[in-house]
Amino acid sequence: MQLLKYSIMVLIGSISYGTLSTMMKFGFKDGHSSGDLVGSQYLIGWMIVAVLFLFSFKYKISWKNAGLLAITGMMSAFVGKAYAVAVAELPASIAVVFLFQFTWIGVLIESIINKRRPDRSKVLAICLLFIGTLFAGAIFGQPLSALSLTGVLFGLLSALLFALYMLCNSKFAVQEPSMKRLFFIATGAMLTAVFTTNPVTLATNLIETNLWQFGLLLGTLGVVIPFFFFAVSMPKVGVGLGTILCAAELPSAMVVSVIFLGEGVTPLQWFGMFLIIVGIALPEYLKYVLKKTHTKKRPLHEKRAS
């Protein structure tokens, strides 16, 4: 039951991430650059987290743990930077397919760390997620000439970085309170996002334009909500299951784009989204079935003893 609770928290964070692409498109229509939007997202998100931090716990933390959590946040910001390059070089439908390779990369990383093969339910889930992503991303029928080498490399880099972000979140300083983890993760992400763009231009645009409104929205949906839920739940669910659950981001992005942007979705894309949802639910469902089967097969005297 505890695992189910933490799995739902990962799903909420993933769904929140899925809204960002639509919010970004609104920002582009208002003339804002990707650098300014990402910078405002992490800066204002960090400000919100900082206010929560002031009243939630004691400040004491070791330099080692603070550094590890900041590295976790840096990974998150670099995912956004790498994916932005992939989107600039590739059609968005193809770029997202490369990003979503983080699902099997995360499971592979977990199996290497634990020196144990992933169980069958995870392997089957990964297969469904991969096929579903191909359909949902509308990659079929796309010309091979659309595949820029730079875009492919940065798309795969964003997938690797996202899997590493999940790993860091599940392993680093897990003994610290969730709000403290949230603050230092957000700090690392903010510093990375701000100092890899032009801080002066960012500050000017936040003051003189409506960029702060997008920053407030993006900061809430792309920093406060997912960072909080991941900080609490990732140490509990692990990187393998966590990356599978994070695949909910793609169906979320599709639904939000249909509702707010009026974008068309083909039947094949809806089918792909269905496969992704099945792939996400499969590991937990199979665990439930196996548990029920095991309970039924237990000898009568064991059931009475329990």
Side-chain angles (χ1 to χ4, degrees):
M1 200 64 191
Q2 286 291 313
L3 182 60
L4 177 61
K5 180 181 76 172
Y6 292 120
S7 296
I8 291 172
M9 294 177 77
V10 176
L11 284 173
I12 293 172
S14 304
I15 291 169
S16 185
Y17 266 139
T19 65
L20 298 184
S21 57
T22 295
M23 302 303 110
M24 288 279 189
K25 287 184 179 181
F26 282 120
F28 293 149
K29 286 181 181 179
D30 271 20
H32 301 297
S33 69
S34 59
D36 279 352
L37 288 169
V38 172
S40 66
Q41 169 189 332
Y42 285 103
L43 179 59
I44 294 181
W46 176 82
M47 290 179 177
I48 297 172
V49 171
V51 171
L52 299 174
F53 173 81
L54 289 174
F55 304 103
S56 60
F57 58 87
K58 296 179 181 179
Y59 292 87
K60 187 176 179 181
I61 187 173
S62 69
W63 284 102
K64 177 184 176 181
N65 283 349
L68 290 173
L69 293 172
I71 290 172
T72 303
M74 289 171 63
M75 288 291 180
S76 173
F78 281 133
V79 171
K81 295 288 183 179
Y83 185 59
V85 175
V87 170
E89 294 285 332
L90 298 169
S93 59
I94 294 181
V96 74
V97 171
F98 286 106
L99 170 63
F100 269 73
Q101 302 315 301
F102 72 76
T103 50
W104 65 264
I105 292 174
V107 173
L108 178 62
I109 289 174
E110 182 184 53
S111 66
I112 292 172
I113 291 175
N114 295 335
K115 298 179 180 179
R116 185 178 61 203
R117 291 182 181 180
D119 57 57
R120 292 181 181 179
S121 64
K122 285 184 180 178
V123 173
L124 183 56
I126 289 298
C127 293
L128 287 172
L129 291 173
F130 180 74
I131 297 170
T133 302
L134 295 180
F135 280 108
I139 195 171
F140 298 109
Q142 294 280 359
L144 291 177
S145 59
L147 298 181
S148 154
L149 179 59
T150 301
V152 170
L153 291 175
F154 274 90
L156 292 173
L157 177 62
S158 67
L160 174 61
L161 289 170
F162 195 88
L164 291 174
Y165 165 60
M166 293 286 102
L167 173 67
C168 293
N169 223 326
S170 65
K171 299 293 184 182
F172 289 169
V174 295
Q175 73 278 11
E176 298 288 354
S178 297
M179 287 303 299
K180 190 180 291 189
R181 298 185 78 244
L182 169 65
F183 173 78
F184 285 100
I185 291 172
T187 299
M190 180 273 294
L191 292 174
T192 304
V194 169
F195 288 104
T196 51
T197 185
N198 188 324
V200 176
T201 302
L202 175 62
T204 302
N205 289 336
L206 280 170
I207 295 171
E208 297 182 354
T209 70
N210 69 341
L211 178 62
W212 68 270
Q213 297 174 358
F214 288 100
L216 182 61
L217 190 60
L218 291 168
T220 302
L221 295 171
V223 176
V224 180
I225 294 175
F227 277 29
F228 171 74
F229 283 113
F230 287 167
V232 174
S233 60
M234 282 305 298
K236 305 295 183 181
V237 303
V239 62
L241 179 58
T243 50
I244 290 174
L245 294 169
C246 281
E249 182 181 340
L250 181 53
S252 169
M254 287 176 59
V255 170
V256 172
S257 68
V258 169
I259 294 173
F260 291 98
L261 298 175
E263 293 187 354
V265 179
T266 67
L268 281 179
Q269 286 178 289
W270 285 118
F271 175 67
M273 186 169 71
F274 170 75
L275 288 180
I276 290 172
I277 293 171
V278 172
I280 292 169
L282 188 63
E284 286 303 306
Y285 174 74
L286 290 179
K287 280 184 181 178
Y288 172 77
V289 171
L290 289 172
K291 186 177 179 181
K292 292 283 286 185
T293 304
H294 178 70
T295 302
K296 288 181 180 179
K297 289 182 178 180
R298 287 168 60 193
L300 185 61
H301 69 275
E302 286 188 17
K303 291 181 181 179
R304 287 174 177 172
S306 60

